[in-house]
Amino acid sequence: MTLALSKRNRLRQFLVLSPPLLWTVLFMFAPYTILVVYSFWRAQFPLAVPDFQFGNYIEIFTDPQYARVLLRTAKIAGLVSLLALLLAFPYAYFLAFKVRKPGLRLTLYMAVVAPLWVSYLLRAYTWKTILGTEGLLNSFLMSTGILSEPSSVFLYNQTAMVVTLTYVFIPFMVMPIYAALEKIPPNLIEASGDLGEGAIATFARITVPLAMPGIVAGFTMTFCLSFGDFISPILVGGPDGLMIANVIAAQFGAALNWPLGSALALVMLVIVLGIITASDRFERLGQARLS
Amino acid sequence: MTDIVTLNNISKHFGPVIGVDNVSLSVRSGEFVTLLGPSGCGKSTLLRMIGGFEEPTQGSVVINGDDVTHLPPNKRPVNIVFQDYALFPHMSVGKNVGYGLRVGGVRRTEVADRARAALELVGLGDRFDAKPHQLSGGQRQRVALARAIVRRPKVLLLDEPLSALDANLREAMQVELKRLQRKVGLTFIMVTHDQTEALALSDRVVVMCDGRVVQDGTPDTLYDRPSSTYVAGFIGTTNLFQGQVHGDTLHALGQKLVVPEGLAPEGRTLTFGFRPEKAEILTAAVAGNGTLPATVTDILYHGNSARIVVEVSGSPLSIDRTISDARHASGLPDIGDQVQIAIQPDRIMVLADEAAA
Ligand SMILES: Nc1ncnc2c1ncn2[C@@H]1O[C@H](COP(=O)(O)OP(=O)(O)OP(=O)(O)O)[C@@H](O)[C@H]1O
Ligand SMILES: [Mg+2]
């Protein structure tokens, strides 16, 4: 009787779970498997020939242009994360500790988070219109007389990319940091003051260590999202602004070298997974210290 | 003895809400003072103004001769033990206790030594490297105490330090708190809403109501001579009734009671009262001068004592009787018995009615 019941339960569980399971297998694991298989094939323009060889990987690790793109991508993603952190932390701190009215706090929080509902492309495009020769920045500088004619130095370079990506991904930095700061009991701050520490020392010894899980989470998300971005290089990046995702896209597109593209994609995947794992370890270490 | 803390007419308003209303208070060095009152009466706010966490709307705070009214907490020679302890979760017990010592420029090795000594004082010398979450509630409480006293403050503030503990542990910690205070000779100002705790620990109890001080005195003064029905009702149980004094006779409860001459102004209707253990139950046969005929309506057995509820002229009165006999409940009357009660004349209290005062 109980056996039959548990069997029925299991059947029902299976029925409920099978659509999402099927979906995951079909649309997540299958593409990755195909990617792995392709990465060992050989390219014979314009075809990909089935094979099992490491030529694509050898090319990636020996041809310096790939290392250069990877480094540039990491540099831009690092700069974006750093800039986002420097902007997001004070903002989240201000929201969590200085804004007293809950209504105002929600409004200011939503002001940062709401753009996530707007298409990514649109948000990145905004910066094209701000930084471009016909853009807001130029007309402002001209109307104040700082510039006599529109300048094109603002757009199509790495700075423009960093600015755009920071704007696009900063919500992912604000959210976890704000959540971590909000969880700090106010009387820990009071206790630190009571024990003789001033505001700055309290910030360094109590607030920042307790906000660390949020900082790490925000940094990881912003870094990984920027690392894989390929739209902003196209929109606002210059000739020296190609990122790894653009190179991969090119292999699947104009270059028609799917095996190399697959190998590059897998290398990138491993890097991102490595970063996520490291940050997860770090956070868990912090959790053990905190809980 | 010198005053270590003086509050001069301080008030604290939170918008329209009055947290503390014109309180003046002096605490002598080495004293154990308790702020007692029901929830929301302003005890914590008063304590937080001494600690520097709230700035008074009016009045001044003087600690150790210095006006500290507008100084932040880190500039005051006081330390506080928070109700939920507020231990830093990311630091070991030893680091928590040593936290406030680094500020004084004490050397690292000495910080550890002094932290260890403070932990030993509260009986936790062996938990130096533990994390707060690995400790029990009572142990965390003691770490919070150690962290506060290690800086040798002039005054130690405690906001309901024992309220998060269960009843048994609370009693044990009361003993420990008192022992600690005697040992370190510090001035303690403690907030509580538990009247037994206040009576057991304090040299002086300050009873508060609606942001004001209603009575300030030693525990026995408060118990034996409460100034108002509010205090009498808040501390222990009191039988209250209206009456008038004529000479050495108190006309109350439809009867005549014997009282010391001059207990209260002649002929004025006032509130009188007595504590349940200040009266005796006699058999109906021994009616005498000043005894009251009564009917037993309820008996509540407490082990070493019993509370007997009787009715005198329609008013219920509670009377406690200790039970020392081996056989429990022997010698207690039965429900429905006719008895006489005798109230000790010098134990009848006169309470200033709020309306009259
Ligand atoms: N930060 C604040 N903002 C607004 N009102 C406050 C604030 N702090 C306290 N109050 C109000 O001041 C009054 C006294 O509060 P307080 O915390 O001092 O009471 P308490 O005697 O400590 O009570 P409890 O026993 O519940 O802790 C209450 O009416 C409370 O609502
Ligand atoms: Mg309180």
Side-chain angles (χ1 to χ4, degrees):
Chain A
M1 155 81 200
T2 45
L3 199 80
L5 196 75
S6 83
K7 224 178 192 172
R8 266 222 335 248
N9 270 345
R10 221 176 296 161
L11 187 70
R12 191 176 322 155
Q13 253 177 23
F14 182 75
L15 281 178
V16 170
L17 282 179
S18 55
L21 262 175
L22 208 69
W23 192 90
T24 316
V25 169
L26 217 64
F27 294 103
M28 305 270 302
F29 292 130
Y32 281 127
T33 314
I34 294 170
L35 218 56
V36 171
V37 170
Y38 255 110
S39 74
F40 295 110
W41 285 16
R42 229 166 351 97
Q44 226 166 40
F45 192 83
L47 297 171
V49 183
D51 199 348
F52 186 78
Q53 48 89 35
F54 294 89
N56 301 312
Y57 290 102
I58 291 169
E59 188 182 345
I60 292 170
F61 289 113
T62 51
D63 188 340
Q65 68 157 323
Y66 296 111
R68 228 179 294 131
V69 175
L70 275 172
L71 273 180
R72 182 195 303 139
T73 310
K75 184 187 88 181
I76 287 173
L79 282 173
V80 168
S81 310
L82 200 67
L83 188 62
L85 176 65
L86 292 179
L87 292 171
F89 194 93
Y91 192 81
Y93 185 87
F94 175 77
L95 279 192
F97 292 113
K98 302 292 173 196
V99 181
R100 286 275 157 264
K101 289 202 188 78
L104 181 63
R105 187 184 298 177
L106 185 70
T107 310
L108 290 174
Y109 183 72
M110 289 317 286
V112 172
V113 175
L116 283 181
W117 278 293
V118 178
S119 146
Y120 168 100
L121 203 62
L122 209 64
R123 281 182 293 145
Y125 224 93
T126 326
W127 282 93
K128 206 179 165 95
T129 63
I130 294 174
L131 301 172
T133 40
E134 313 269 286
L136 272 177
L137 187 61
N138 267 314
S139 21
F140 170 76
L141 290 176
M142 268 156 54
S143 71
T144 53
I146 296 174
L147 287 183
S148 53
E149 56 189 75
S151 161
S152 59
V153 299
F154 304 121
L155 204 53
Y156 305 124
N157 54 37
Q158 291 192 7
T159 313
M161 275 168 60
V162 171
V163 168
T164 305
L165 285 173
T166 302
Y167 166 75
V168 168
F169 293 130
I170 204 167
F172 295 100
M173 190 67 97
V174 172
M175 287 190 287
I177 293 179
Y178 175 74
L181 287 175
E182 204 197 20
K183 265 199 305 206
I184 300 176
N187 66 8
L188 292 189
I189 311 288
E190 287 184 344
S192 174
D194 185 66
L195 294 166
E197 290 288 32
I200 295 169
T202 299
F203 180 78
R205 295 182 74 185
I206 305 296
T207 315
V208 171
L210 290 178
M212 205 38 102
I215 295 174
V216 171
F219 204 92
T220 308
M221 272 197 269
T222 315
F223 187 90
C224 291
L225 287 170
S226 315
F227 196 82
D229 188 77
F230 80 108
I231 293 195
S232 86
I234 294 174
L235 284 183
V236 298
D240 66 338
L242 282 191
M243 307 231 294
I244 185 71
N246 303 107
V247 176
I248 295 173
Q251 299 306 319
F252 284 95
L256 266 186
N257 190 344
W258 286 28
L260 184 63
S262 303
L264 270 173
L266 285 172
V267 168
M268 184 179 142
L269 184 72
V270 167
I271 292 173
V272 167
L273 284 179
I275 290 168
I276 291 175
T277 312
S279 121
D280 194 54
R281 284 273 163 77
F282 185 83
E283 205 167 320
R284 225 169 274 181
L285 217 77
Q287 285 297 316
R289 284 194 316 158
L290 283 182
S291 57
Chain B
M1 277 237 189
T2 49
D3 285 346
I4 192 88
V5 175
T6 312
L7 306 179
N8 300 309
N9 302 91
I10 60 170
S11 298
K12 177 70 186 177
H13 298 194
F14 298 103
V17 179
I18 298 176
V20 169
D21 188 10
N22 194 24
V23 168
S24 294
L25 182 71
S26 296
V27 177
R28 288 192 305 278
S29 183
E31 222 179 353
F32 195 134
V33 173
T34 300
L35 307 176
L36 176 67
S39 187
C41 71
K43 312 177 294 284
S44 294
T45 306
L46 193 61
L47 198 74
R48 289 169 60 79
M49 285 195 284
I50 303 174
F53 305 109
E54 306 280 1
E55 210 171 317
T57 314
Q58 268 166 32
S60 63
V61 181
V62 177
I63 298 176
N64 202 28
D66 302 317
D67 187 327
V68 298
T69 314
H70 303 292
L71 290 185
N74 57 334
K75 298 278 177 0
R76 300 188 183 204
V78 303
N79 281 112
I80 189 165
V81 175
F82 289 93
Q83 180 170 358
D84 55 0
Y85 319 139
L87 299 180
F88 305 126
H90 57 302
M91 295 181 186
S92 70
V93 164
K95 286 267 164 56
N96 260 283
V97 176
Y99 187 90
L101 291 175
R102 274 207 14 198
V103 185
V106 183
R107 271 205 273 116
R108 197 175 280 271
T109 49
E110 203 195 324
V111 168
D113 287 346
R114 278 175 64 182
R116 204 175 292 277
L119 279 170
E120 255 148 37
L121 196 64
V122 296
L124 285 176
D126 54 336
R127 303 311 301 273
F128 190 89
D129 293 313
K131 282 286 161 61
H133 76 270
Q134 296 167 322
L135 302 183
S136 71
Q139 289 172 328
R140 277 180 226 180
Q141 154 79 69
R142 281 184 268 181
V143 174
L145 267 173
R147 186 176 72 176
I149 58 175
V150 76
R151 303 186 75 221
R152 302 239 142 235
K154 296 273 187 280
V155 183
L156 187 68
L157 309 174
L158 305 111
D159 192 353
E160 310 216 17
L162 308 180
S163 66
L165 307 177
D166 63 50
N168 287 334
L169 197 52
R170 188 153 61 223
E171 227 161 274
M173 281 304 296
Q174 283 179 9
V175 175
E176 208 155 311
L177 210 56
K178 190 72 195 167
R179 181 189 61 93
L180 188 71
Q181 196 245 349
R182 242 179 263 128
K183 205 155 154 188
V184 296
L186 279 177
T187 311
F188 275 37
I189 304 179
M190 183 177 85
V191 160
T192 183
H193 59 247
D194 179 345
Q195 44 112 357
T196 26
E197 194 170 291
L199 295 184
L201 295 176
S202 328
D203 299 318
R204 196 145 64 87
V205 179
V206 177
V207 185
M208 294 183 66
C209 174
D210 289 339
R212 297 166 167 274
V213 172
V214 288
Q215 194 173 2
D216 173 353
T218 57
D220 52 323
T221 310
L222 248 56
Y223 190 78
D224 290 334
R225 297 271 164 252
S227 63
S228 60
T229 52
Y230 175 81
V231 176
F234 200 75
I235 295 175
T237 312
T238 320
N239 295 300
L240 295 173
F241 48 86
Q242 305 277 314
Q244 290 173 327
V245 170
H246 295 286
D248 65 354
T249 314
L250 168 59
H251 296 262
L253 298 164
Q255 308 284 330
K256 287 177 188 157
L257 287 142
V258 181
V259 293
E261 203 141 348
L263 178 71
E266 281 281 314
R268 272 213 10 225
T269 304
L270 295 167
T271 304
F272 295 84
F274 68 95
R275 299 287 184 184
E277 73 281 6
K278 308 299 187 202
E280 260 187 289
I281 295 190
L282 309 169
T283 52
V286 295
N289 191 17
T291 61
L292 309 173
T295 312
V296 177
T297 57
D298 276 301
I299 298 177
L300 307 169
Y301 178 66
H302 294 310
N304 59 350
S305 72
R307 172 154 296 175
I308 299 158
V309 184
V310 300
E311 211 173 83
V312 176
S313 316
S315 311
L317 296 177
S318 295
I319 293 165
D320 284 352
R321 168 182 280 198
T322 51
I323 300 169
S324 43
D325 289 335
R327 266 162 48 78
H328 90 279
S330 66
L332 290 178
D334 288 318
I335 290 174
D337 279 4
Q338 297 294 319
V339 294
Q340 290 283 331
I341 62 171
I343 305 166
Q344 298 171 28
D346 57 343
R347 292 306 197 175
I348 293 178
M349 326 183 279
V350 195
L351 301 156
D353 240 12
E354 275 82 24

